[in-house]
Amino acid sequence: MGRVPPNLSITPADALDRQRMGAALIDIREAGERATGMARAAIGVAMGELLDDPARWIPDHTSDVMLICASGRRSLTASKALTELGYVATCSVDGGTTRWRAEHLPMRDPDESAEFLDRYSRHLLLPEVGLVGQRKLRDARVALIGAGGLGSPAALYLAAAGIGHLTLIDNDVVERSNLQRQIVHRDAAIGQLKVESARDTLLALNPDIRIDAVAERVVVNNVDALLSGHDVILDGCDNFATRYLVNDACVRFGLPLIYGAVERFTGQVAVFWSRDDGQPRSCYRCLFPEPPPAAFAPNCAEAGVLGVLPGLIGMLQATEAIKLVLNIGEPLIDCLLRVDVLRMRFDRVVLTRDSDCGTCGDGELSPVHAADVGCEIRSG
């Protein structure tokens, strides 16, 4: 078989002929892109992976190799890079997979439904997510404690991201004063249970996920049953009793707890996760061993809150949840992120485990903590 001049683009039809004669066809798109369908018999290797270690995939520098991407631009760039590395017979398929498909050349079937691939197409382009990561999101179970100011934006973005199973826990009803910041609810839902209002909105956004709407108070007798079986817990409540209960349950189950709080123009986010990795990790009680006096911790109804602030904090919580499910980046474990939106300032505070903590340390709970039985969730 004659050699193809390096860096030359060839038509898909010519590429198919050369493939039948023994030339290798390598699809250098990301895995998520390849999930939409590949040229039949093509080898899937992302461009970065190929160029990082070309000898792994093309051990013979004289091999006839054709590269294909979506449009032909990336494959031409990669072909030139391989030529500079000494490969003498590489070329790019002009028009890429788009033209290959348009000319009705043989293709593999997509790995997922067209709706799935279209809905999450921007995620699939990210190497850190891709098809494998999107499937992880689909398989994940996230519980949100509260469907108010923090739970609203968090739930919307988690549903949009494709978290396959969301559990909403809140026994409150929608009030008109909520609508300034609790964006998952609508004026028509006033008087309706928040979990039912939120479920309707989330399913309208993404009908392919499952929503469990739990209109219950979180109390000592049900907290374990409500939280067990989930992968991540997102705290969107606004009272200390519930937070202590949820924190203690998360420590028992080894679940990550994504904490968020807002007041007036400030907010904060942290991830508490006592993982079994041999590292001493802080929990919520390490940060707040005792609840502050009520005068120093007013809720939104007493102190007020800028409407967009819960949206910012809730989206940060959702971001942390997605990172944890995908196991990417650096989650806010042992770190408190504080936000002041008037000055638009973000500060990070390092947290350490309290060895005397009554939950994750060697201490004992005070009589007040031991008597915590939870209270109504009125989040944000």
Side-chain angles (χ1 to χ4, degrees):
M1 180 171 59
R3 301 297 184 196
V4 176
N7 304 333
L8 177 69
S9 290
I10 63 173
T11 68
D14 288 341
L16 179 61
D17 288 340
R18 294 188 66 81
Q19 185 187 37
R20 289 168 174 165
M21 294 172 64
L25 178 63
I26 301 180
D27 190 328
I28 64 167
R29 296 175 297 163
E30 298 296 333
E33 297 177 272
R34 299 196 301 268
T36 63
M38 294 171 56
R40 189 173 298 168
I43 303 167
V45 184
M47 179 175 172
E49 188 177 358
L50 175 65
L51 296 182
D52 282 345
D53 187 10
R56 175 185 175 189
W57 309 100
I58 317 172
D60 185 352
H61 281 58
T62 66
S63 297
D64 288 297
V65 176
M66 303 172 295
L67 306 181
I68 188 169
C69 62
S71 66
R73 290 190 292 270
R74 280 177 287 175
S75 55
L76 185 58
T77 299
S79 179
K80 292 178 179 178
L82 290 175
T83 299
E84 293 175 357
L85 293 173
Y87 289 89
V88 298
T90 65
C91 63
S92 167
V93 179
D94 183 57
T97 307
T98 302
R99 182 175 172 185
W100 186 287
R101 181 181 283 110
E103 294 183 5
H104 305 290
L105 301 181
M107 295 280 297
R108 295 184 193 174
D109 292 334
D111 294 333
E112 290 284 354
S113 69
E115 292 79 6
F116 179 93
L117 296 172
D118 188 28
R119 180 181 293 274
Y120 305 116
S121 60
R122 301 307 187 267
H123 269 179
L124 298 177
L125 292 171
L126 298 172
E128 296 84 355
V129 183
L131 182 61
V132 172
Q134 194 59 52
R135 286 171 171 168
K136 287 182 180 180
L137 295 174
R138 181 175 61 187
D139 294 339
R141 294 169 55 94
V142 176
L144 294 94
I145 313 299
L150 298 176
S152 288
L156 284 167
Y157 273 95
L158 292 176
I163 295 293
H165 189 146
L166 292 174
T167 301
L168 308 178
I169 305 170
D170 195 318
N171 71 323
D172 200 6
V173 298
V174 179
E175 300 174 3
R176 183 167 283 108
S177 62
N178 300 149
L179 303 180
Q180 163 250 18
R181 64 205 175 279
Q182 298 182 17
I183 58 174
V184 77
H185 308 299
R186 302 293 179 262
D187 191 78
I190 292 174
Q192 184 179 2
L193 284 167
K194 285 185 177 179
V195 291
E196 294 181 356
S197 167
R199 178 190 58 199
D200 294 345
T201 302
L202 298 176
L203 290 178
L205 173 65
N206 189 347
D208 296 327
I209 63 175
R210 175 179 171 181
I211 307 289
D212 285 345
V214 182
E216 295 185 25
R217 295 171 57 190
V218 177
V219 295
V220 69
N221 292 329
N222 68 6
V223 62
D224 286 0
L226 290 175
L227 301 190
S228 64
H230 291 89
D231 301 300
V232 178
I233 310 300
L234 193 146
D235 168 21
C237 69
D238 70 349
N239 65 83
F240 286 94
T242 301
R243 281 187 168 144
Y244 285 130
L245 274 177
V246 171
N247 171 78
D248 296 352
C250 286
V251 172
R252 286 195 298 274
F253 291 125
L255 293 173
L257 173 63
I258 304 176
Y259 156 74
V262 294
E263 180 189 356
R264 294 173 58 80
F265 301 100
T266 62
Q268 50 195 29
V269 183
V271 175
F272 300 109
W273 191 8
S274 300
R275 295 183 294 179
D276 186 18
D277 60 359
Q279 298 296 321
R281 305 291 186 184
S282 61
C283 76
Y284 178 75
R285 285 196 195 268
C286 296
L287 179 61
F288 296 110
E290 298 286 343
F296 293 97
N299 59 31
C300 293
E302 298 165 335
V305 63
L306 186 68
V308 298
L309 177 62
L312 175 60
I313 299 301
M315 285 191 291
L316 290 173
Q317 289 181 281
T319 303
E320 291 299 295
I322 292 170
K323 287 162 54 182
L324 289 170
V325 171
L326 296 176
N327 192 27
I328 61 174
E330 299 180 5
L332 290 170
I333 297 175
D334 289 336
C335 178
L336 181 70
L337 181 67
R338 300 190 300 190
V339 181
D340 179 342
V341 296
L342 284 184
R343 295 186 296 167
M344 199 48 70
R345 179 171 175 175
F346 291 73
D347 297 315
R348 295 168 66 98
V349 179
V350 175
L351 304 178
T352 57
R353 176 173 173 264
D354 180 1
S355 59
D356 293 326
C357 174
T359 297
C360 69
D362 300 324
E364 296 183 359
L365 293 182
S366 68
V368 173
H369 285 151
D372 284 340
V373 294
C375 63
E376 184 177 358
I377 299 171
R378 299 179 63 85
S379 49

